[in-house]
Amino acid sequence: GLEVLLSSPRGFCAGVVRAIDVVDVCLRRYGPPVYVKHQIVHNPYVVNDLESRGAITVEEVDEVPEGSLVVFSAHGSPPEDFEKAKARNLRVIDAVCPLVTRVHNEAKKYSREGRRVLLVGHRGHQEVRGTMGQVEMTLVDDNVPSELPEWGDGEEIAVLTQTTLSVRDTAYAIDSIKARFPQALVRNDICYATTNRQEAVTKMAHSVDLVLVIGAQNSSNCNRLREVAAAQGVPAYLINGPEEIDPEWMEGKEKVGVTSGASTPEVLVESVIEALAPERVIMLSGVEEDVSFTMPQELR
């Protein structure tokens, strides 16, 4: 019979819990509509749930009616979004993850110290847009780290990273940066949740015939989880929920590993397990996470 192994830790991280709570509290305290700039977290189930209760997701600050309440997403925002909001007389509540804010603060500090800033990340990702808006910096796409700027050896350089990258790929990218700029100061900003989930799925991958990562196609950390599992030589798929399981994947498979990304609600994991109808479910033990973040000042 089919056996399901459940990876741990998996699912929501502290920054995601906080961001969803921010929208939740705003809806209850101020009533709808509560505008949200960018998907609050990258998961359609979460976004639809909040929208059914009166949240309205927009991509640009200019789409928010003047004088409204707007929540900025967990991924962080460039300063110009705050300026635009001020010009439109919006009330902003920033649900940025504190671990992303830390990267913003590092960028500002190193820039003030006169260092050139390199950011390892994925071009176009919302978090990268927010971080790159903080100070002038150069993006090193972790897929093509060979393309480095033509800076002189005397340059003082600081290297920052997106919080949701592959731990292994980032190490390679940083090695290639250090080879070119040995004097570079490196801050690895991959967060605890990204690191823990990747470590757990790496361990689990060796015991299963197939890995299902539950999460959204536009979620960076979910995509990295799938890649990390696949790198262990096991077929791995990223699915939003049970309806995306292809029966062909399951043929001849006796052990299926299941994990979920930092923006994926546990109810989706439960519905996938229900659909798989396994003979038994084995809960793997992993790092205990006890991280939680306080609400933004305005909501306390």
Side-chain angles (χ1 to χ4, degrees), residues 64-224:
V64 181
E66 300 215 359
S68 306
L69 173 67
V70 61
V71 175
F72 282 7
S73 84
H75 314 92
S77 304
E80 73 216 37
D81 284 357
F82 291 91
E83 288 154 24
K84 283 183 195 165
K86 205 170 179 182
R88 296 183 72 75
N89 192 25
L90 303 179
R91 176 160 179 213
V92 175
I93 297 183
D94 192 4
V96 58
C97 173
L99 300 179
V100 172
T101 302
R102 194 171 72 184
V103 183
H104 293 184
N105 291 338
E106 286 167 3
K108 289 185 259 204
K109 176 182 138 210
Y110 294 130
S111 181
R112 273 200 308 273
E113 291 172 0
R115 291 179 179 271
R116 300 232 190 194
V117 181
L118 275 178
L119 176 69
V120 180
H122 293 287
R123 192 176 301 284
H125 186 275
Q126 194 69 6
E127 181 186 327
V128 167
R129 287 188 47 215
T131 301
M132 290 194 71
Q134 302 301 314
V135 296
E136 195 180 318
M137 65 180 78
T138 304
L139 183 67
V140 179
D141 203 303
D142 87 326
N143 298 326
V144 277
S146 49
E147 296 175 25
L148 294 174
E150 300 290 320
W151 294 333
D153 294 340
E155 289 282 1
E156 297 263 289
I157 293 164
V159 182
L160 308 177
T161 77
Q162 188 178 334
T163 60
T164 53
L165 300 177
S166 149
V167 174
R168 202 173 76 165
D169 292 353
T170 303
Y172 286 136
I174 285 171
D175 284 346
S176 71
I177 293 168
K178 293 278 294 196
R180 170 72 186 80
F181 303 115
Q183 77 284 18
L185 177 92
V186 178
R187 284 295 315 223
N188 188 324
D189 297 297
I190 298 175
C191 73
Y192 81 95
T194 300
T195 304
N196 290 347
R197 280 151 193 64
Q198 286 178 20
E199 228 166 66
V201 82
T202 301
K203 271 209 295 233
M204 176 176 72
H206 298 286
S207 318
V208 297
D209 311 311
L210 168 76
V211 169
L212 297 178
V213 178
I214 321 305
Q217 296 299 327
N218 67 332
S219 162
S220 172
N221 81 85
C222 290
N223 278 286
R224 303 298 84 77

